[in-house]
Amino acid sequence: MECAKSFGEKRCDVNANVNTINASFIRMVHMYSALNYRAFSKLGIHPGQLPVLKIVSEQEGISLRELASLLHIKPPTVTVTVQRLEKAGMVRRETDLSDQRINRIYLTEKGAAMKKEMIRLLDENEKILIKGFSKEEIRTLQSFFAKMTENLIQAGADAEEEKQLR
């Protein structure tokens, strides 16, 4: 991939070395992630915190373990993210009254406001991402992504089944 520095950013020729779907997809995800990272950095947050804020806002009082399971990441990773969000005043932790080993996570007012701002930024960035696409092309792209996701889920299930047979 041919890249050049301009205005303090690394700019890459998006058509360079586009040989595979994998390379094209990774390049696009990388560029989109960089766009989101720049936007969220201005707010003082990391893009990876959005899924946590979203889930906590939809499932007030969720446990760290449940949160980790929904995000498909290890509990220690969720703990670090929640600690950062707690330090930033966006979530609060409360000990479960019936089982004091469990911490429940709740969104604060600041967290709710931040979630709304992050969603606004994501909407803006999605408009940038799909600029020039027709509605039909967008629907087709969404169906392709859905099929690719199904393929990956099936591959994961097949791998897990194979692992259990050993």
Side-chain angles (χ1 to χ4, degrees), residues 32-42 45-47 125:
Y32 184 65
S33 296
L35 178 68
N36 282 327
Y37 185 80
R38 283 192 304 273
F40 293 143
S41 291
K42 292 175 185 173
I45 55 175
H46 189 277
N125 290 346

Side-chain angles (χ1 to χ4, degrees), residues 61-110:
I62 192 168
S63 73
L64 288 170
R65 187 166 303 284
E66 292 165 333
L67 188 55
S69 176
L70 286 173
L71 292 169
H72 305 285
I73 57 177
K74 295 185 184 323
T77 304
V78 170
T79 299
V80 170
T81 301
V82 167
Q83 286 171 340
R84 288 179 180 154
L85 288 169
E86 194 174 25
K87 187 176 179 182
M90 291 187 241
V91 298
R92 72 179 192 284
R93 257 193 274 203
E94 293 181 14
T95 303
D96 186 287
L97 297 175
S98 61
D99 187 345
Q100 297 202 352
R101 297 171 297 173
I102 300 172
N103 283 308
R104 302 263 173 215
I105 313 303
Y106 298 88
L107 206 59
T108 64
E109 285 183 34
K110 182 178 179 181

Side-chain angles (χ1 to χ4, degrees), residues 39-161:
F40 293 143
S41 291
K42 292 175 185 173
L43 298 176
I45 55 175
H46 189 277
Q49 294 170 332
L50 177 62
V52 173
L53 289 173
K54 183 179 183 305
I55 290 171
V56 171
S57 72
E58 293 168 352
Q59 298 183 38
E60 287 276 325
I62 192 168
S63 73
L64 288 170
R65 187 166 303 284
E66 292 165 333
L67 188 55
S69 176
L70 286 173
L71 292 169
H72 305 285
I73 57 177
K74 295 185 184 323
T77 304
V78 170
T79 299
V80 170
T81 301
V82 167
Q83 286 171 340
R84 288 179 180 154
L85 288 169
E86 194 174 25
K87 187 176 179 182
M90 291 187 241
V91 298
R92 72 179 192 284
R93 257 193 274 203
E94 293 181 14
T95 303
D96 186 287
L97 297 175
S98 61
D99 187 345
Q100 297 202 352
R101 297 171 297 173
I102 300 172
N103 283 308
R104 302 263 173 215
I105 313 303
Y106 298 88
L107 206 59
T108 64
E109 285 183 34
K110 182 178 179 181
M114 186 61 68
K115 178 192 169 220
K116 285 180 185 175
E117 182 62 15
M118 291 172 76
I119 288 170
R120 186 191 65 73
L121 285 171
L122 283 172
D123 287 344
E124 274 182 26
N125 290 346
E126 184 170 308
K127 286 176 185 165
I128 292 167
L129 185 69
I130 61 173
K131 182 180 174 183
F133 285 85
S134 70
K135 287 183 180 181
E136 182 60 33
E137 288 172 324
I138 292 167
R139 281 192 293 274
T140 300
L141 182 62
Q142 288 170 323
S143 72
F144 289 161
F145 285 153
K147 181 61 178 166
M148 287 179 207
T149 300
E150 289 172 23
N151 292 343
L152 293 170
I153 289 168
Q154 186 60 52
D158 291 347
E160 189 60 34
E161 186 177 310

